[in-house]
Amino acid sequence: MVCLQTIYRYKIDQSLGIDETLSFETLSTRSGLNVIDLRRILRYAMTNFVFREPRSGFVAHTSLSKALAQDTRLRSFVGIACEERFPASARGFALSQNTDKGLYDELRQHPERERRWTSAMSVIASQKDFDFIIDTLDWLRSSTGTVIDVGGGGGLISEGLALRLPGLHFVVQDSENVLQQADVHPDVKHRISFMTHNFFDEQPVKHAEVYYFRNIFHDWPDEQCITILRNLIPALKPGAHVIIDNFGLQEPLTLPPYQERVQREIEHARLEDQATGLAEMMDNRVIHAPILTPSQIIDVGCGTGIVTRHLGNAYPSARVYGIDLSPVPIPAGPHPPNVEYILGDVRTSTNPRLAPGSTDFIFSRLLALGMTDWAGYVRDMVSLLRPGGWVEMQDYSLDWYMHGSNCSEEWEWLKALFLAAQQTGWDLRAGRNIPLYMQEAGLLDISVVTYRVPIGTWLERLETKRIGEHAAREYGRLYYHAIPKMLQGMGYTKEKIEEFQRSSSVDLAGQEGKELKFYATIGRKP
């Protein structure tokens, strides 16, 4: 990646004419990269068929380097891979770009980078399998009339379909800023038009044959997806088709693990970003329990397995078991040989590896919204421990603070959640209350470390940037989805629940001084 980044940054591909053959010295002068580094970089790139050395000391293009020089969208994609994603993979976006803003806010401050990002995203759209769409919807081949491409970006999908379906006209709808970059193939330009439209408003084009939504609904909560579709209804004529082309997650155990892994990559990326952010916040101290030479470790609710793998690497002589209700994705590359995963509920599992008194250390994190019997759960975990074994539980307490004072006590939607929690057994202050459960279960040497989690990137500690960005981006969305489920059967009208959802989105938006507390609690079995 460093090699490709150097080629991109010094525009080496564009410094060499498409049909030219230049000496390293001449190319060094044109690109501005010293000749010693240029030789090293390009000769390594040549092992991957990027550039070639037709005779000693001279450079010419290959088909790959020509594509990089000539294809603007490909060059944009390489640009974001090298200049945005590659640095972020090592240090996180905020740290790598020396900013306190999230990705899109940062890009808006730099129009050239924003244009590069938009251009790069069009590369992904251009990889769409149009034949699959047409083969699946065979009636399109003989259709005439108009297709409305709702939220269609720069029109690449409409372009691809128009090239294959000569009887159809297309209207691409999106925001004004997005449509400014629209450009389609000249052979179909006369059959594709563009219209500024917000799909949260009523659909202005009436009686079209097809309304097409590609990768729209995964970005929005269920209620807003319903709103988008309701706005379509007045425009529909009898026999009109609505096509929703979107990826989705399957229910657990309905796909082979390798297929499910592909479908869950986005959710896994979100969870791993959160785990990485929490680790950075805790100064890369994933656990706090003073365990030295454990023989067995259990990671409860292990999710993507990121902590399980960490424990496996940290304690190579221990057997480490991650258990979760959903299959755990096994990442590519080296995997700790002492780590295994168990599918199921730790409290009801009859797996012999989870026998009472078998374990030296039990870890769990972020179970607050899924646990309805904390006291019973802690007792069960204590029963799995050997004498002298440790348990560590990390969780939030759902109290938000503004400049150190509780600002959430009067949030009506949060009051409703606490009322629901009293009836269901949830403990929305689990992080703060776990020491009490541990004490009731008979644990000793209980101690708590409390961390401040900013909603946004306002806190001066650089280590909180990633988790602050994550909190500002994800927590409003999390509770927007959770509110209807948690308040089901509580007697609230649909309109009231929607009001709660809107209020939660406002209350949980990133703001300087707003934070919540994250607690890491440990206890030892006598």
mmCIF file of all heavy atoms in Angstrom, residues 129-142 160-165:
data_model
loop_
_atom_site.group_PDB
_atom_site.id
_atom_site.type_symbol
_atom_site.label_atom_id
_atom_site.label_comp_id
_atom_site.label_asym_id
_atom_site.label_seq_id
_atom_site.Cartn_x
_atom_site.Cartn_y
_atom_site.Cartn_z
ATOM 1 N N ASP A 129 -23.901 -5.765 -11.024
ATOM 2 C CA ASP A 129 -24.189 -6.816 -12.004
ATOM 3 C C ASP A 129 -25.549 -6.526 -12.641
ATOM 4 O O ASP A 129 -26.588 -6.957 -12.159
ATOM 5 C CB ASP A 129 -24.197 -8.176 -11.297
ATOM 6 C CG ASP A 129 -24.349 -9.332 -12.280
ATOM 7 O OD1 ASP A 129 -24.613 -9.076 -13.473
ATOM 8 O OD2 ASP A 129 -24.206 -10.488 -11.854
ATOM 9 N N PHE A 130 -25.542 -5.764 -13.739
ATOM 10 C CA PHE A 130 -26.792 -5.373 -14.382
ATOM 11 C C PHE A 130 -27.507 -6.572 -14.990
ATOM 12 O O PHE A 130 -28.732 -6.623 -15.011
ATOM 13 C CB PHE A 130 -26.513 -4.317 -15.451
ATOM 14 C CG PHE A 130 -25.948 -3.039 -14.898
ATOM 15 C CD1 PHE A 130 -24.593 -2.761 -15.000
ATOM 16 C CD2 PHE A 130 -26.761 -2.129 -14.257
ATOM 17 C CE1 PHE A 130 -24.070 -1.590 -14.481
ATOM 18 C CE2 PHE A 130 -26.246 -0.946 -13.742
ATOM 19 C CZ PHE A 130 -24.894 -0.686 -13.850
ATOM 20 N N ASP A 131 -26.743 -7.526 -15.490
ATOM 21 C CA ASP A 131 -27.381 -8.707 -16.074
ATOM 22 C C ASP A 131 -28.169 -9.478 -15.029
ATOM 23 O O ASP A 131 -29.220 -10.055 -15.322
ATOM 24 C CB ASP A 131 -26.326 -9.613 -16.716
ATOM 25 C CG ASP A 131 -25.694 -8.969 -17.949
ATOM 26 O OD1 ASP A 131 -26.387 -8.178 -18.612
ATOM 27 O OD2 ASP A 131 -24.516 -9.247 -18.226
ATOM 28 N N PHE A 132 -27.670 -9.478 -13.787
ATOM 29 C CA PHE A 132 -28.404 -10.158 -12.718
ATOM 30 C C PHE A 132 -29.756 -9.482 -12.488
ATOM 31 O O PHE A 132 -30.787 -10.145 -12.335
ATOM 32 C CB PHE A 132 -27.590 -10.145 -11.423
ATOM 33 C CG PHE A 132 -28.332 -10.690 -10.238
ATOM 34 C CD1 PHE A 132 -28.457 -12.065 -10.062
ATOM 35 C CD2 PHE A 132 -28.922 -9.849 -9.307
ATOM 36 C CE1 PHE A 132 -29.149 -12.582 -8.982
ATOM 37 C CE2 PHE A 132 -29.612 -10.349 -8.223
ATOM 38 C CZ PHE A 132 -29.717 -11.727 -8.056
ATOM 39 N N ILE A 133 -29.769 -8.146 -12.496
ATOM 40 C CA ILE A 133 -31.037 -7.421 -12.318
ATOM 41 C C ILE A 133 -32.009 -7.792 -13.433
ATOM 42 O O ILE A 133 -33.174 -8.118 -13.196
ATOM 43 C CB ILE A 133 -30.793 -5.900 -12.311
ATOM 44 C CG1 ILE A 133 -29.897 -5.497 -11.139
ATOM 45 C CG2 ILE A 133 -32.123 -5.147 -12.245
ATOM 46 C CD1 ILE A 133 -29.535 -4.020 -11.147
ATOM 47 N N ILE A 134 -31.503 -7.736 -14.650
ATOM 48 C CA ILE A 134 -32.384 -7.954 -15.798
ATOM 49 C C ILE A 134 -32.844 -9.402 -15.864
ATOM 50 O O ILE A 134 -34.004 -9.697 -16.180
ATOM 51 C CB ILE A 134 -31.662 -7.528 -17.096
ATOM 52 C CG1 ILE A 134 -31.374 -6.023 -17.037
ATOM 53 C CG2 ILE A 134 -32.489 -7.869 -18.319
ATOM 54 C CD1 ILE A 134 -30.450 -5.524 -18.110
ATOM 55 N N ASP A 135 -31.943 -10.342 -15.563
ATOM 56 C CA ASP A 135 -32.344 -11.751 -15.574
ATOM 57 C C ASP A 135 -33.368 -12.046 -14.489
ATOM 58 O O ASP A 135 -34.288 -12.859 -14.665
ATOM 59 C CB ASP A 135 -31.116 -12.645 -15.390
ATOM 60 C CG ASP A 135 -30.204 -12.640 -16.603
ATOM 61 O OD1 ASP A 135 -30.666 -12.215 -17.680
ATOM 62 O OD2 ASP A 135 -29.027 -13.022 -16.468
ATOM 63 N N THR A 136 -33.205 -11.385 -13.325
ATOM 64 C CA THR A 136 -34.148 -11.594 -12.226
ATOM 65 C C THR A 136 -35.495 -10.965 -12.534
ATOM 66 O O THR A 136 -36.551 -11.518 -12.209
ATOM 67 C CB THR A 136 -33.575 -10.996 -10.923
ATOM 68 O OG1 THR A 136 -32.299 -11.585 -10.654
ATOM 69 C CG2 THR A 136 -34.500 -11.271 -9.741
ATOM 70 N N LEU A 137 -35.485 -9.800 -13.176
ATOM 71 C CA LEU A 137 -36.709 -9.083 -13.534
ATOM 72 C C LEU A 137 -36.849 -9.105 -15.051
ATOM 73 O O LEU A 137 -36.746 -8.085 -15.736
ATOM 74 C CB LEU A 137 -36.628 -7.649 -13.002
ATOM 75 C CG LEU A 137 -36.332 -7.526 -11.487
ATOM 76 C CD1 LEU A 137 -36.041 -6.080 -11.117
ATOM 77 C CD2 LEU A 137 -37.494 -8.064 -10.665
ATOM 78 N N ASP A 138 -37.089 -10.276 -15.586
ATOM 79 C CA ASP A 138 -37.044 -10.490 -17.035
ATOM 80 C C ASP A 138 -38.034 -9.612 -17.792
ATOM 81 O O ASP A 138 -37.806 -9.255 -18.955
ATOM 82 C CB ASP A 138 -37.325 -11.967 -17.328
ATOM 83 C CG ASP A 138 -37.091 -12.313 -18.781
ATOM 84 O OD1 ASP A 138 -35.954 -12.151 -19.247
ATOM 85 O OD2 ASP A 138 -38.069 -12.713 -19.455
ATOM 86 N N TRP A 139 -39.145 -9.215 -17.122
ATOM 87 C CA TRP A 139 -40.157 -8.389 -17.784
ATOM 88 C C TRP A 139 -39.616 -7.017 -18.187
ATOM 89 O O TRP A 139 -40.208 -6.346 -19.043
ATOM 90 C CB TRP A 139 -41.385 -8.221 -16.893
ATOM 91 C CG TRP A 139 -41.063 -7.796 -15.485
ATOM 92 C CD1 TRP A 139 -40.828 -8.595 -14.418
ATOM 93 C CD2 TRP A 139 -40.911 -6.457 -15.013
ATOM 94 N NE1 TRP A 139 -40.546 -7.847 -13.303
ATOM 95 C CE2 TRP A 139 -40.596 -6.531 -13.638
ATOM 96 C CE3 TRP A 139 -41.022 -5.199 -15.626
ATOM 97 C CZ2 TRP A 139 -40.381 -5.394 -12.866
ATOM 98 C CZ3 TRP A 139 -40.807 -4.063 -14.857
ATOM 99 C CH2 TRP A 139 -40.488 -4.174 -13.489
ATOM 100 N N LEU A 140 -38.475 -6.605 -17.590
ATOM 101 C CA LEU A 140 -37.902 -5.316 -17.963
ATOM 102 C C LEU A 140 -37.465 -5.269 -19.422
ATOM 103 O O LEU A 140 -37.462 -4.213 -20.050
ATOM 104 C CB LEU A 140 -36.691 -5.003 -17.073
ATOM 105 C CG LEU A 140 -36.965 -4.508 -15.649
ATOM 106 C CD1 LEU A 140 -35.677 -4.449 -14.856
ATOM 107 C CD2 LEU A 140 -37.633 -3.131 -15.682
ATOM 108 N N ARG A 141 -37.100 -6.428 -19.970
ATOM 109 C CA ARG A 141 -36.579 -6.464 -21.346
ATOM 110 C C ARG A 141 -37.598 -5.940 -22.353
ATOM 111 O O ARG A 141 -37.219 -5.322 -23.357
ATOM 112 C CB ARG A 141 -36.170 -7.882 -21.732
ATOM 113 C CG ARG A 141 -35.068 -8.472 -20.864
ATOM 114 C CD ARG A 141 -34.723 -9.882 -21.329
ATOM 115 N NE ARG A 141 -33.842 -10.580 -20.406
ATOM 116 C CZ ARG A 141 -32.531 -10.464 -20.379
ATOM 117 N NH1 ARG A 141 -31.935 -9.677 -21.256
ATOM 118 N NH2 ARG A 141 -31.812 -11.126 -19.491
ATOM 119 N N SER A 142 -38.860 -6.196 -22.086
ATOM 120 C CA SER A 142 -39.897 -5.793 -23.039
ATOM 121 C C SER A 142 -40.659 -4.554 -22.588
ATOM 122 O O SER A 142 -41.662 -4.180 -23.193
ATOM 123 C CB SER A 142 -40.882 -6.948 -23.244
ATOM 124 O OG SER A 142 -41.450 -7.357 -22.015
ATOM 125 N N GLY A 160 -26.197 2.074 -16.736
ATOM 126 C CA GLY A 160 -25.977 0.657 -17.022
ATOM 127 C C GLY A 160 -27.235 -0.041 -17.489
ATOM 128 O O GLY A 160 -27.190 -0.885 -18.408
ATOM 129 N N LEU A 161 -28.368 0.305 -16.885
ATOM 130 C CA LEU A 161 -29.631 -0.300 -17.314
ATOM 131 C C LEU A 161 -30.068 0.237 -18.673
ATOM 132 O O LEU A 161 -30.569 -0.521 -19.519
ATOM 133 C CB LEU A 161 -30.710 -0.034 -16.263
ATOM 134 C CG LEU A 161 -30.528 -0.751 -14.918
ATOM 135 C CD1 LEU A 161 -31.558 -0.272 -13.904
ATOM 136 C CD2 LEU A 161 -30.619 -2.267 -15.085
ATOM 137 N N ALA A 162 -29.857 1.526 -18.900
ATOM 138 C CA ALA A 162 -30.264 2.117 -20.179
ATOM 139 C C ALA A 162 -29.498 1.515 -21.353
ATOM 140 O O ALA A 162 -30.055 1.338 -22.451
ATOM 141 C CB ALA A 162 -30.059 3.633 -20.136
ATOM 142 N N LEU A 163 -28.234 1.188 -21.145
ATOM 143 C CA LEU A 163 -27.442 0.571 -22.205
ATOM 144 C C LEU A 163 -27.967 -0.813 -22.577
ATOM 145 O O LEU A 163 -27.720 -1.293 -23.689
ATOM 146 C CB LEU A 163 -25.979 0.477 -21.773
ATOM 147 C CG LEU A 163 -25.211 1.814 -21.712
ATOM 148 C CD1 LEU A 163 -23.889 1.635 -20.980
ATOM 149 C CD2 LEU A 163 -24.977 2.358 -23.128
ATOM 150 N N ARG A 164 -28.690 -1.433 -21.669
ATOM 151 C CA ARG A 164 -29.186 -2.801 -21.896
ATOM 152 C C ARG A 164 -30.686 -2.853 -22.161
ATOM 153 O O ARG A 164 -31.188 -3.886 -22.614
ATOM 154 C CB ARG A 164 -28.865 -3.664 -20.667
ATOM 155 C CG ARG A 164 -27.360 -3.873 -20.461
ATOM 156 C CD ARG A 164 -27.058 -4.331 -19.035
ATOM 157 N NE ARG A 164 -25.638 -4.664 -18.860
ATOM 158 C CZ ARG A 164 -24.676 -3.769 -18.644
ATOM 159 N NH1 ARG A 164 -24.991 -2.479 -18.582
ATOM 160 N NH2 ARG A 164 -23.422 -4.142 -18.499
ATOM 161 N N LEU A 165 -31.411 -1.771 -21.881
ATOM 162 C CA LEU A 165 -32.871 -1.757 -22.011
ATOM 163 C C LEU A 165 -33.278 -0.565 -22.876
ATOM 164 O O LEU A 165 -33.631 0.498 -22.368
ATOM 165 C CB LEU A 165 -33.521 -1.674 -20.625
ATOM 166 C CG LEU A 165 -33.182 -2.819 -19.656
ATOM 167 C CD1 LEU A 165 -33.657 -2.490 -18.250
ATOM 168 C CD2 LEU A 165 -33.797 -4.127 -20.144
#
